[in-house]
Structure formats: structure tokens, C-alpha cells
Amino acid sequence: MTPEQIKEFGQERWVAGYLRQLRNLEPPEEGFIGSVSLGSSMDDRLGHNRFGPFHKVADFHDYLRFGGPLETWNYDPVYWEYTKMYFAEFSFYQTFFAAVVGEPGIEKYPKELRAERDIWRVVNPWQYDDFYGKPLIHGGRLQGGGSLCNDEGTWAGGN
């Protein structure tokens, strides 16, 4: 893509617009976290097991912390798609991240991204598999990732 196409990609009519539409969707019940079919979900960020559904955000956060306490945690999970996009990036995503970071119409979550990065440094996604049960294997392979961006979401992986 040309630099202009990359910039346009992040703008309102593309990524920013899609994110806004997704964030405006109403869950089937307040605090629900699960699949669109109201069942369990799967996300490589959390290993390779299905998880949920959760009917309270606090239950989802409890799952993320392996049941451990966090007395001051009182945030909605609206940050998830922003921090998740940085989880398994590769150098060929650099232009995509530049478009997202450079677009003022996309809400950024730098504090949540820093918190996620702290978790990623300590918790390997496969620990969820070990803690919660046997991982699911798709096509004979498990897949995972690691981040190459710094705490602000700026590319730090080189070329």
C-alpha cells in the first residue's frame, strides 16, 4: 500500500469506523463477555482452550488473573481489541499499526496496553491451558505470539 492508502486505511471510513461500529453494539446483557452465539470464546491471547461465557466483567477479569485478587481493578474490557492487536504482531504489520496509532478517530488505551504488556512478560498464554485444562489443537498446531511493540504501542521490532 502507498503511504496515502495506509493513512486512509486507518481513517474513519475504514478501521476507525469499524471499531466505532463494534463498540456501539449492545451486548445481550450488561457485562456479558462471550461469543456472538452467546457461548464460549477462543482467543490465542488466552491459550488454546475455549473460555466463558462470562455474565459479569469481574468474572472475566478473575479468569484473566487465574482467580487471584485485584482489589482495585474496576475497568470495563472495552480496551481488549486495541491491546489484542499488539499481541502477535510481525514486521509486516508495521504499516497497519502506524495507521491505527496515527488516526485520531481511533481511541487508544496506552494505560491498558502497558498493563497487558506487563501480563505478557509474566504470563505465557499457554499457562491458561495448563491452569484451566487441556488445550485445543487446530490442524495439529498450537499457535501463539509475542509483541514487538513498546509500552506505548509504537513499533520496536526493527525491519
Side-chain angles (χ1 to χ4, degrees):
M1 294 172 69
T2 68
E4 184 56 39
Q5 288 172 322
I6 292 168
K7 182 177 179 185
E8 184 178 318
F9 177 74
Q11 292 176 344
E12 181 62 32
R13 66 183 213 176
W14 293 108
V15 175
Y18 294 143
L19 286 174
R20 190 174 336 288
Q21 289 176 39
L22 287 171
R23 290 177 180 166
N24 284 330
L25 293 174
E26 293 291 326
E29 63 186 66
E30 187 174 336
F32 179 82
I33 297 173
S35 70
V36 295
S37 64
L38 306 180
S40 63
S41 298
M42 179 122 177
D43 188 322
D44 286 343
R45 155 66 177 86
L46 300 176
H48 300 92
N49 291 311
R50 297 194 70 78
F51 57 88
F54 303 99
H55 297 279
K56 295 188 294 186
V57 173
D59 291 343
F60 175 61
H61 287 155
D62 187 56
Y63 180 89
L64 293 178
R65 295 187 319 270
F66 301 104
L70 183 57
E71 304 302 325
T72 60
W73 189 269
N74 194 21
Y75 299 102
D76 295 333
V78 73
Y79 64 87
W80 189 260
E81 76 277 351
Y82 180 78
T83 60
K84 169 64 176 169
M85 77 178 189
Y86 287 103
F87 180 66
E89 69 231 31
F90 301 97
S91 60
F92 53 84
Y93 292 146
Q94 181 178 6
T95 53
F96 171 78
F97 293 119
V100 170
V101 170
E103 173 53 41
I106 297 175
E107 188 171 355
K108 317 302 186 300
Y109 296 90
K111 182 170 57 172
E112 290 83 354
L113 183 57
R114 282 190 301 276
E116 283 286 312
R117 291 193 184 290
D118 288 343
I119 292 169
W120 298 341
R121 283 191 260 290
V122 175
V123 178
N124 181 307
W126 290 279
Q127 285 179 278
Y128 288 97
D129 296 339
D130 293 341
F131 189 81
Y132 288 110
K134 185 176 179 182
L136 298 176
I137 298 175
H138 296 283
R141 292 184 60 189
L142 293 176
Q143 298 183 16
S147 181
L148 296 176
C149 283
N150 64 23
D151 288 345
E152 288 75 40
T154 305
W155 184 251
N159 290 328

